[in-house]
Amino acid sequence: AEVQRQVHERFGEIIVYHEDQVDALAQLSRSTRRKLNCAIRMPALLTHDLWRIWSTIDAGALKALCLDAVDFRYISAEDDLFLAGEPSSEALYIADGQHLYTQTPSTSMVDEEVSNNVLGDTWVCEAALWSMWITVGSMTAVTRSKVFTICARKLWDLIRVTPSVENMAITYARNFHK
């Protein structure tokens, strides 16, 4: 019954495509596509203090981050953003929508199941950028939402070749765990 309900509801939803699925974007020049990608991703990055500082130190590094390590996708209601006990290699910026974050005693240091509403304009799983991270809770979309992700491996690839932000990023990573 749940499968049928979700399939029926999703066929009635407006279809939202990932940019890789939009053929018209492939017709744009590379420079125009890069400008468009930065215009879409940069406002999300600049909601976080670290990336705002990067923008003042090395705007080119932040642009490279946008182009190489940041992605975005639309999440349908009832989709899982992540499940408890899974490795995570990306931080998520929830731009809009409503989500439910749930922790249980089997994967978290809680005595009973705990659930919290998570609204838009929120960063989650940032620890995945600075450590080998296993999620301790699950997050499910309550409403359709737009989510940006930063891939940890691609972030560190960029940090290693960008001396202007390397020391700051390493210091931030160390301090993140304190």
Side-chain angles (χ1 to χ4, degrees):
E2 180 180 347
V3 172
Q4 288 177 329
R5 180 188 57 76
Q6 273 193 15
V7 168
H8 179 73
E9 287 175 1
R10 291 180 184 201
F11 273 120
E13 286 183 356
I14 295 171
I15 297 173
V16 181
Y17 295 99
H18 187 273
E19 59 196 3
D20 293 341
Q21 299 169 304
V22 180
D23 292 335
L25 293 176
Q27 302 306 310
L28 299 175
S29 68
R30 185 169 175 235
S31 61
T32 300
R33 278 195 318 270
R34 290 170 61 91
K35 288 177 190 173
L36 178 61
N37 283 343
C38 284
I40 291 168
R41 291 163 172 78
M42 190 69 72
L45 281 178
L46 293 176
T47 65
H48 193 290
D49 290 338
L50 178 63
W51 313 128
R52 278 197 303 273
I53 293 170
W54 269 37
S55 73
T56 64
I57 294 171
D58 188 341
L62 191 64
K63 183 177 179 180
L65 181 66
C66 276
L67 295 171
D68 299 334
V70 179
D71 195 12
F72 80 94
R73 60 184 182 263
Y74 287 94
I75 306 295
S76 296
E78 299 185 39
D79 276 358
D80 299 310
L81 278 77
F82 53 86
L83 298 173
E86 293 183 338
S88 178
S89 60
E90 58 186 23
L92 293 85
Y93 172 68
I94 299 170
D96 60 22
Q98 181 182 355
H99 304 78
L100 190 63
Y101 179 66
T102 304
Q103 293 177 298
T104 62
S106 63
T107 58
S108 300
M109 295 179 60
V110 295
D111 295 326
E112 59 187 33
E113 185 173 298
V114 177
S115 294
N116 294 295
N117 282 314
V118 178
L119 301 176
D121 193 28
T122 303
W123 285 90
V124 297
C125 292
E126 184 182 350
L129 299 178
W130 318 117
S131 64
M132 301 299 285
W133 185 248
I134 304 291
T135 55
V136 296
S138 298
M139 186 170 289
T140 303
V142 176
T143 62
R144 191 175 95 181
S145 58
K146 186 175 185 177
V147 175
F148 291 82
T149 60
I150 300 177
C151 172
R153 181 188 52 77
K154 291 177 180 179
L155 168 66
W156 282 100
D157 288 349
L158 175 65
I159 289 169
R160 282 186 203 90
V161 298
T162 314
S164 59
V165 295
E166 183 177 26
N167 288 336
M168 183 187 64
I170 290 169
T171 301
Y172 185 89
R174 286 185 186 132
N175 289 333
F176 186 85
H177 294 287
K178 290 184 180 181

